Amino acid sequence: LASEIGPNPDSPDVIDAAVVIELTHLASLYHDDVMDEAPMRRGVPTAQYIFGNSSAIMAGDVLFSRASKIVAGLGQKAIYMHATAFERLCMGQLHEIVGPQPEDDPIEHHIGVLAGKTGSLIAAAAHHGVMAAGGTDEESEQLEQFGERIGVAFQIADDVIDLISDEEVTGKTPGTDLLEGVPTMPTLLLRQREARGDLDEAGAQILQMLDEGNLEHDDRLATVVALVRKHPVVGETRDLARSWVNDALTFLDGLEDRPVHGYLTDFAHG
C-alpha cells in the first residue's frame, strides 16, 4: 500500500521489496516458534513441530539469506535499511529474553521490545515500499514512522488477543503468554498498580496466582485468564493500542488527497 505514494507503484523493485519483507517476516516467525516451543501458529503446525528445531532454524536462516540477496539489488540505501531493521528485530527479541534492568521502567521496556520485534519490520516495509516506488526521502521517513507505531499497536492488541482468542481459530490456548511467564501489557499494568499501592483485590489475586506458578495444573490457567479478562487493565490495554494507532495516523497528514490514505487508515484500524 505504501508503494502507491511513489510515482512508480508497479515497478519491479516494489515487488522485490515486498518479497524481502515477507521473507524476513516468515524467517523471524520460524525462529520465534523455536524459542517459544510453539506447536501451532494460527491453527497450523509450526515448522519446528513438524521438522524439529534444527531444521526450522536453518530454514529461517535460508529465508534471511534469500531476503539479503534480493535486497542487494535494490541499492546501498536499501541494504543499510534492511540490515538496520534486522538488527532491531533481533535486539528487540534479546531485550525481551533478558528483561528490564532494575533502573528500567517495565512498561517502557516492553514498548521498546515491541518496537524492535514488530515495529521495525512494519516500518521497514513502509519505507521500502515508498522508496522502491520512487517516493521522496521525506515520504519514506513519514511512512516509516507510521509503520513503527502500527507495529507497536498491533503487538499491544495482541496482548489482549492472547487472553480472549478462540483456540479453534488461532490454534493457541488463551493465556499462553501467562503460562510461559511472558510479560504482557495487562500484567505489566497490574504490576504498575501494585508498585503504586493502588492494586485492587482482583488484581492482587491475579498476581498471586502468576507468582505462584503451576498454571498448567488443574484449571488454574483458565481461572487466571477469566480473572484478567474481567479486570479493567484489559480495557486500558485496548485504549493504549488505540492511542498508538491514533499517533500513527498523524503521520498520514498531507496524503489525504491520495487513495493510499484511505487504505492505510483502514489498515491501521484493522
Side-chain angles (χ1 to χ4, degrees), residues 85 87-97 99-100 104-121 148 151-153 155-156 159 183 185 188 240 244:
E87 178 187 34
R88 290 191 61 206
L89 190 157
C90 294
M91 290 301 295
Q93 187 66 59
L94 279 172
H95 287 153
E96 180 177 67
I97 294 171
D104 294 335
D105 178 275
I107 291 180
E108 290 183 4
H109 178 270
H110 186 60
I111 293 294
V113 167
L114 303 186
K117 286 177 54 177
T118 303
S120 63
L121 195 58
E148 174 101 7
V152 173
Q155 285 295 134
I156 294 174
D159 285 349
M185 190 57 68
L188 289 171
L240 184 59
W244 278 88

